[in-house]
Amino acid sequence: SRMLLPRNISLSTGHLPEALGGAPPPLRPNVINPYGRPYRYWQMFLIVLVAYSAWASPFELALEKAVSRAHLVVDLVVDVFFCADIVVSFFVAYRDRSTDLLVDDRGKIAVRYLTRPWFVLDVASTIPLQIVYQLVRGKKNGPCGFLILLRLWRLRRASKLFARLEKDTRLSYFWTRFIKLFCVALFALHCASCVYLWLAFHYRDKEQTWIGSLRGDFKERSVWFAYTYAVYWSMTTMATVGYGDLHAANTGEKLFSILFMLCNMGVACYVIGNMTNLVVHGATTTFRMRDMVDQVARYGKANRLPAWMREQMVESVQLRFQMAELLLPDEVLSELPKAARSAVAQHLYKATVEDCYLFRGASDNLVVQLVSEMKAEFFPPKMDIVLENENPTDCYIIASGQVFVMRIGPHGMAGEIGVMLNIPQPFTIRSRTLTQVIRISRSHLQNTVRPATADGDTIFSNFVQYLESLKVRHGEELTFARDVGHDT
Amino acid sequence: SRMLLPRNISLSTGHLPEALGGAPPPLRPNVINPYGRPYRYWQMFLIVLVAYSAWASPFELALEKAVSRAHLVVDLVVDVFFCADIVVSFFVAYRDRSTDLLVDDRGKIAVRYLTRPWFVLDVASTIPLQIVYQLVRGKKNGPCGFLILLRLWRLRRASKLFARLEKDTRLSYFWTRFIKLFCVALFALHCASCVYLWLAFHYRDKEQTWIGSLRGDFKERSVWFAYTYAVYWSMTTMATVGYGDLHAANTGEKLFSILFMLCNMGVACYVIGNMTNLVVHGATTTFRMRDMVDQVARYGKANRLPAWMREQMVESVQLRFQMAELLLPDEVLSELPKAARSAVAQHLYKATVEDCYLFRGASDNLVVQLVSEMKAEFFPPKMDIVLENENPTDCYIIASGQVFVMRIGPHGMAGEIGVMLNIPQPFTIRSRTLTQVIRISRSHLQNTVRPATADGDTIFSNFVQYLESLKVRHGEELTFARDVGHDT
Amino acid sequence: SRMLLPRNISLSTGHLPEALGGAPPPLRPNVINPYGRPYRYWQMFLIVLVAYSAWASPFELALEKAVSRAHLVVDLVVDVFFCADIVVSFFVAYRDRSTDLLVDDRGKIAVRYLTRPWFVLDVASTIPLQIVYQLVRGKKNGPCGFLILLRLWRLRRASKLFARLEKDTRLSYFWTRFIKLFCVALFALHCASCVYLWLAFHYRDKEQTWIGSLRGDFKERSVWFAYTYAVYWSMTTMATVGYGDLHAANTGEKLFSILFMLCNMGVACYVIGNMTNLVVHGATTTFRMRDMVDQVARYGKANRLPAWMREQMVESVQLRFQMAELLLPDEVLSELPKAARSAVAQHLYKATVEDCYLFRGASDNLVVQLVSEMKAEFFPPKMDIVLENENPTDCYIIASGQVFVMRIGPHGMAGEIGVMLNIPQPFTIRSRTLTQVIRISRSHLQNTVRPATADGDTIFSNFVQYLESLKVRHGEELTFARDVGHDT
Amino acid sequence: SRMLLPRNISLSTGHLPEALGGAPPPLRPNVINPYGRPYRYWQMFLIVLVAYSAWASPFELALEKAVSRAHLVVDLVVDVFFCADIVVSFFVAYRDRSTDLLVDDRGKIAVRYLTRPWFVLDVASTIPLQIVYQLVRGKKNGPCGFLILLRLWRLRRASKLFARLEKDTRLSYFWTRFIKLFCVALFALHCASCVYLWLAFHYRDKEQTWIGSLRGDFKERSVWFAYTYAVYWSMTTMATVGYGDLHAANTGEKLFSILFMLCNMGVACYVIGNMTNLVVHGATTTFRMRDMVDQVARYGKANRLPAWMREQMVESVQLRFQMAELLLPDEVLSELPKAARSAVAQHLYKATVEDCYLFRGASDNLVVQLVSEMKAEFFPPKMDIVLENENPTDCYIIASGQVFVMRIGPHGMAGEIGVMLNIPQPFTIRSRTLTQVIRISRSHLQNTVRPATADGDTIFSNFVQYLESLKVRHGEELTFARDVGHDT
């Protein structure tokens, strides 16, 4: 029951804007695009400095004596760069959540940045407290030594970077995640080593420390010597190897070791869980393929199907998985808006359908509507596409590859005689090479091609001509009802 | 084939109770609501005491000499509180399973509490056995020392707390579970340490114990010194680090170590399994998003779709996941009763639909029925909503955001011309910003808006007026069939 | 298009066998039912002997000197029992795979047992080779000492037991599997310990062995002393703790340790994998519940639904999961044969439907057919069952619980006025307590209750009477079409 | 609305090629089939040589003094074989990706091989650099000693082998994957051992090495002595046992140990993840079965169904899983092309259907179309197949097994009286033994068997004859409408 049945309608489309879907509008001058190249490079450069800060801050805290003048200069330079980034932040456009568009108004940008809680932390982590303290008091690392850890706030950038990389579909999720876990492990290792060093250097009796009980002269030797020992021990503990050549020698060390091992257990479980997840997920497709092939093979064996039938079945299942990226599964298709799906189908199949003898001369409208319901399918060599005597439920357009029996080469069709005449398929049609076909169901074809219309007549006469040519070629009689379109 | 077709029916609704769905009835005086604030705080306070009991009971058993008078007083105070809880239990309402309502009859409450098996254990774990024994015999910790472990029955409260927290949807399941596993690990660590201490303090030759072989003076030193050693060793074993600086020195210790390691293996596997589960589950959404985006991107690449088409596809898939919490997937919807679904749809869409030009003046009944089948959908900026020449299967109401071509601003519509006239969509309509639309399928619209009814006429005249205004605006001819409603 | 439309048909059912579905026929005399109690107990008793064999065989091989006369006697007694089982096997019926029936023909039983490959191994593992050898040669444990390991063939019984227990749905899969993994771990531990003992006792220089380097007198001390050391070391290695107080001291021990650690890694991974699997699987339901509730809660919050609506939604989702075992999900239902589903539906709903005023006096046939499509549903207290103005798509029979508005108590109905009169539901109906309803869809009701039949008339007159009684009660006018059944 | 309704059509099928689906065409002479036996054996032989290279290359690099003349000769022989394989590669056909056919043109084969990047590496890894260097310079292992690691390129073959084996459905995926992981672990172990040996042999102060601190004479003893120590230590570290009897003694060793432990953590997680995946996947079917049976059992218990009904339900669910390999689930079927599905159904069910009394004399066309929608189903003994008074929705052909009530033995039917007469099923039919039936739905039967056709008449007269014979047998009256085919 349709509500309205107008035959002709014309509405003005003259008011379409020319720039429909054009390039994004340029941002105002002096405002930086957060997705542009220059800003990306600047961010990548800052990440390198973040890595340095993450390494240097705990190290400087643990080994005050190692903090040379050169060290302080490097720290100062790094601080200057982060200071520059604070300034730059006032010029970077941001994406508004309610409209999903970029905002390039500098007033709004500044208000947004200043009202976020991390602005304060950004500033606090940039002030070179150590130098300020030294200038004021004339001493190195006074009571506010721990303030150096404020710099670890910069790690937020690394965390944001990984969050972005994980969503970037050009990168492998497995490796992004793997590297993230690896970096976290390395940082934990470094921190634990620094704590161990701090414990060793601050304990009153150096013989009663983890390193001093083995190497009494550790305070006199190079910083790197003690650092290697500390990393070695932390690693031994973290990997739960626990050789025992180095071990906690006093109560403070024992307490930290307990804490470290507790954390490690949590982290180890978390890492194992993550790896399992990644591995499981990576293997999903392989497993699905193996499962299907196994099921088909077992079914063939249990039902004692002939060998060629079993091979055909296994090969076609395998081909589906090989060709998986050329096809979209239904659950993904259903997530796309209808307009996008139509656009894709038109792009892929329209030319092929228009090339096909049956639809030559058909209107654009008809082709668009036929195409929207078409599905691509692949057949390995020597596989039946249409079986003699089968119900005529589908019609196939051969998009590429070669088939036996009726005709060879692309843009031929298969199964259309059964479908058009509504008789059991008169021939078996079999692929000769790897063949791609486009499938139209009989019901969709019949619903779209209405008999008493211009398109219906065109298509029917195309089909009659073709049958005539077949008759001529094979010198045989073809009998069929002439009352096309009058039998509904 | 409908059974009955009455046109007008009126049934009394005057006997509706006023308090339909009002507040829950108040409980009787002197009965405590188990879901009320005061009882919750009381329970939380008891949990703290449970934690103390769990720590103190094994400790007191292992180190009798450590049990000072102050210790006994604290134990006694704790016991008094648990005694109070037994009394309170006689006043707390409970939920009846067959009606799902609270029972506040004190007789029933008492009968229920007294007939449950754990009443006996509640009482037994509250009697201060140690003090009783001391008063009677005048000795500390006689043969019934192990009875102190009866207090561990109180851990049942902690287990119930976690069971409840895990079901509480306001808390993160990951962290609830994580903290539970952590607490179990800590308790196991503490118990093992206490057993090791007991073994060391009760072995005849103190040089042949795990601690005595290193520190012969451990019995003379503070209790905490030995306890730190014990926890350190237990932790070393539990985390499978096994430095070896402390190790079993006699057969009894060896046997307990074997047992402890065996249990640990089971626990470790269980913990790893749990973590994997939590991690896997937490990452499900991320993986689904990555998978879909990957599939769409690979499909676009494999089929050599133009870049803008690939971007549109990827963006719309990503938007679906960003907007996930604004939409309910079908499998969740199907779990809700029909009445609840209708109520939600009315709350969300009714105002928007009534605001819409096409449905102005339509009856409430019609709007309610239209609304019950509507679905919200989101489009990123620059995305096609309706494509020219597409089949007219859906009609969209723009709830928020802006679109190109026809009209701008909320409460406009899209696709209604194609749907109402049943012609291929005459325009492409494209979003300008992030756009929320409400979709009605053509079939539902046509089934609900029956031609020869008052509502049908209203809506049709709305549509005609709109088309006329378009004609006036664009100075063009619109031809369509006037025989509305007569062609079914 | 129905093929045949007979009105009355009567076929003889007098030839139905009386014992249709009766008890299984008794087995022949002197044949044992493998599923009977006595045989089960016999098998359980043998499992205990298997456990002894599994422990004793490697032990005897490793510590020949420990093999006392008492030991040999116990071994002999065990062998006699296994010998008896071989004899018993000739009298135990077996299940034929092609018919799924028990075969109790002793000839067939004997042939089947004798032709299976394990008959030979059953016999070989029962011959007391050690004693035979001793009698023949007069020496203990000659070159064929390793033949004692043939007895480990008996472990096949344990493996079969676990396979059966895992399929037994009365036992928890988690614990069955857990105990199996635990037993495997214990056996591996015991075997490794025995190998270590053998290595220590057979090495030329006893100071250069893992135990001798610590305890030079180990050969003089009790067997259990050395065994405890061996188990302790194996356990330390297996749990990857590796204290290092005991460690490989010569090349042979080093090689075996390498092998043992390699195997352990495989086993550990396998065990962790299994535990993860069990844990993941056990938590599936909890996760599904949490997920749904979370999604509903987030949806309510994101769309700013009123608090009472959000609570209603969350409560009804939670109730679904609490009542899960009273309902079967569709994917399980589809695995049951149709006849079984019908039988269950009749058992559950027939009495309730027959009790219902609308179907009083209806034929049995009708009730059976109505019942086959019914679904049970639960509503928490204060939840809308039917909403005013909703489409009349479902009719509810209240099986238990109480509802507001229309009537109270079981066997009432809800929504039938809207459904029968095909008008928007005239009332809101809300549950007062936990309510179980049985849902019939309008379309199924209308298809089954055909207008011009005896059943149709009965049901219609029931309904009219009820409406009249309502009118009388409320003194109002009810107008509806009288032309029932003539409007299709 | 069918488009065309021809009654008779005949098209020539005389031009079908005789070799339709015959054997693959033979390859040209002197071209080797990559899937043939001889080439497979050659590849397997090369894999053995790859294993040797993987072992020998790091070993030779670490222990130059161990490289005897015999060693060099073996290496040379191995190199000759790999050289031969390069030559052979020019004669092996390859599969073209676009047509999925074998290419046997030697020109194309050569071009393809020469243009691939690995051709250079194949050649480079075959040149016996060591010997070349020795001949030129007269010294063993000069500065280019590390070039020996080029031979590890050959491992690519092992990796390709495993990739192929994992896809080979004749092998268990679990074991293929397990062995792969095991080989990787062994290779890592060997490499680490070689590095440790290299470190020990090249450190200036041999007392300050991991082995020298225990065994000062290690340089004088056999190579295998040191190698055993190295493998033992690596294994201890890899399995995270870490006894501590061997441990890093200088900074170089400490650094490598840190690196090795870091890698191990990654590898361990990866291996555990893989194992979990394999175990989880292997247990999927068991879990699904357990779950379904559990759900059915719990449902039966919660709803207090009679015991026999619960048993019937549980048994039929269990049977479904036992018979799983005889049936294909729908999601696998949908992956097979329609023609393949039809061919399988014809092979399995055609003979049974033709044998059936109802379809005797029916045309081949009809049988083919009936068969394409048939499904097999299994019933355990004593299970209801058709229930009295049930809706007549399905008709069953008994393919094997025995049923009660109507008839016994294969090729009988069940439920056809209800279906053909469209009355509630007049009898209950119950299986006597394990029974396989083929199910046809009533709607498909009625759509395929059109009344006024030759086939329709044949089937109807078959049915009437059968009913008559029943009447004669039971001396009762059967009344049914004679106007078959005229009531649609």
PDB file of all heavy atoms in Angstrom, chain D residues 74 270 325 337 360 385 429 485:
ATOM      1  N   VAL D  74      81.857 -31.231   6.751  1.00  0.00           N
ATOM      2  CA  VAL D  74      80.396 -31.366   6.856  1.00  0.00           C
ATOM      3  C   VAL D  74      79.727 -30.073   6.400  1.00  0.00           C
ATOM      4  O   VAL D  74      78.778 -30.091   5.613  1.00  0.00           O
ATOM      5  CB  VAL D  74      79.997 -31.711   8.305  1.00  0.00           C
ATOM      6  CG1 VAL D  74      78.482 -31.685   8.455  1.00  0.00           C
ATOM      7  CG2 VAL D  74      80.547 -33.060   8.698  1.00  0.00           C
ATOM      8  N   TYR D 270      54.577 -14.476  25.437  1.00  0.00           N
ATOM      9  CA  TYR D 270      54.072 -14.867  24.128  1.00  0.00           C
ATOM     10  C   TYR D 270      53.708 -16.345  24.112  1.00  0.00           C
ATOM     11  O   TYR D 270      52.652 -16.750  23.626  1.00  0.00           O
ATOM     12  CB  TYR D 270      55.128 -14.566  23.070  1.00  0.00           C
ATOM     13  CG  TYR D 270      54.667 -14.864  21.676  1.00  0.00           C
ATOM     14  CD1 TYR D 270      53.817 -13.995  21.007  1.00  0.00           C
ATOM     15  CD2 TYR D 270      55.058 -16.027  21.029  1.00  0.00           C
ATOM     16  CE1 TYR D 270      53.367 -14.266  19.742  1.00  0.00           C
ATOM     17  CE2 TYR D 270      54.616 -16.305  19.751  1.00  0.00           C
ATOM     18  CZ  TYR D 270      53.778 -15.426  19.105  1.00  0.00           C
ATOM     19  OH  TYR D 270      53.337 -15.711  17.853  1.00  0.00           O
ATOM     20  N   GLU D 325      29.939 -34.276  13.914  1.00  0.00           N
ATOM     21  CA  GLU D 325      30.689 -34.297  12.656  1.00  0.00           C
ATOM     22  C   GLU D 325      29.856 -34.812  11.476  1.00  0.00           C
ATOM     23  O   GLU D 325      30.281 -34.710  10.346  1.00  0.00           O
ATOM     24  CB  GLU D 325      31.982 -35.102  12.808  1.00  0.00           C
ATOM     25  CG  GLU D 325      31.807 -36.509  13.197  1.00  0.00           C
ATOM     26  CD  GLU D 325      33.163 -37.165  13.381  1.00  0.00           C
ATOM     27  OE1 GLU D 325      34.147 -36.440  13.613  1.00  0.00           O
ATOM     28  OE2 GLU D 325      33.237 -38.380  13.281  1.00  0.00           O
ATOM     29  N   PRO D 337      29.487 -22.394  -1.501  1.00  0.00           N
ATOM     30  CA  PRO D 337      28.646 -21.929  -2.607  1.00  0.00           C
ATOM     31  C   PRO D 337      27.410 -22.824  -2.729  1.00  0.00           C
ATOM     32  O   PRO D 337      27.439 -23.991  -2.357  1.00  0.00           O
ATOM     33  CB  PRO D 337      29.537 -22.082  -3.834  1.00  0.00           C
ATOM     34  CG  PRO D 337      30.862 -22.513  -3.370  1.00  0.00           C
ATOM     35  CD  PRO D 337      30.787 -22.883  -1.939  1.00  0.00           C
ATOM     36  N   ARG D 360       7.751 -42.484  -4.506  1.00  0.00           N
ATOM     37  CA  ARG D 360       8.003 -43.461  -5.562  1.00  0.00           C
ATOM     38  C   ARG D 360       7.357 -42.969  -6.849  1.00  0.00           C
ATOM     39  O   ARG D 360       6.214 -42.563  -6.849  1.00  0.00           O
ATOM     40  CB  ARG D 360       7.456 -44.827  -5.161  1.00  0.00           C
ATOM     41  CG  ARG D 360       8.603 -45.766  -4.797  1.00  0.00           C
ATOM     42  CD  ARG D 360       8.142 -47.055  -4.223  1.00  0.00           C
ATOM     43  NE  ARG D 360       8.924 -47.363  -3.030  1.00  0.00           N
ATOM     44  CZ  ARG D 360       8.447 -47.974  -1.955  1.00  0.00           C
ATOM     45  NH1 ARG D 360       7.178 -48.353  -1.905  1.00  0.00           N
ATOM     46  NH2 ARG D 360       9.234 -48.207  -0.921  1.00  0.00           N
ATOM     47  N   ILE D 385       9.797 -38.575  18.604  1.00  0.00           N
ATOM     48  CA  ILE D 385      10.124 -37.864  17.359  1.00  0.00           C
ATOM     49  C   ILE D 385       8.949 -36.977  16.985  1.00  0.00           C
ATOM     50  O   ILE D 385       9.113 -35.811  16.660  1.00  0.00           O
ATOM     51  CB  ILE D 385      10.433 -38.885  16.232  1.00  0.00           C
ATOM     52  CG1 ILE D 385      11.650 -39.709  16.611  1.00  0.00           C
ATOM     53  CG2 ILE D 385      10.642 -38.178  14.908  1.00  0.00           C
ATOM     54  CD1 ILE D 385      11.918 -40.865  15.697  1.00  0.00           C
ATOM     55  N   ILE D 429       5.237 -40.837  17.927  1.00  0.00           N
ATOM     56  CA  ILE D 429       6.201 -41.774  17.346  1.00  0.00           C
ATOM     57  C   ILE D 429       7.491 -41.634  18.132  1.00  0.00           C
ATOM     58  O   ILE D 429       7.946 -40.528  18.380  1.00  0.00           O
ATOM     59  CB  ILE D 429       6.398 -41.489  15.839  1.00  0.00           C
ATOM     60  CG1 ILE D 429       5.097 -41.832  15.132  1.00  0.00           C
ATOM     61  CG2 ILE D 429       7.552 -42.286  15.284  1.00  0.00           C
ATOM     62  CD1 ILE D 429       5.032 -41.367  13.715  1.00  0.00           C
ATOM     63  N   GLY D 485      -5.900 -30.418  -3.973  1.00  0.00           N
ATOM     64  CA  GLY D 485      -5.340 -29.525  -4.992  1.00  0.00           C
ATOM     65  C   GLY D 485      -6.315 -28.479  -5.482  1.00  0.00           C
ATOM     66  O   GLY D 485      -5.949 -27.607  -6.248  1.00  0.00           O
TER      67      GLY D 485
END
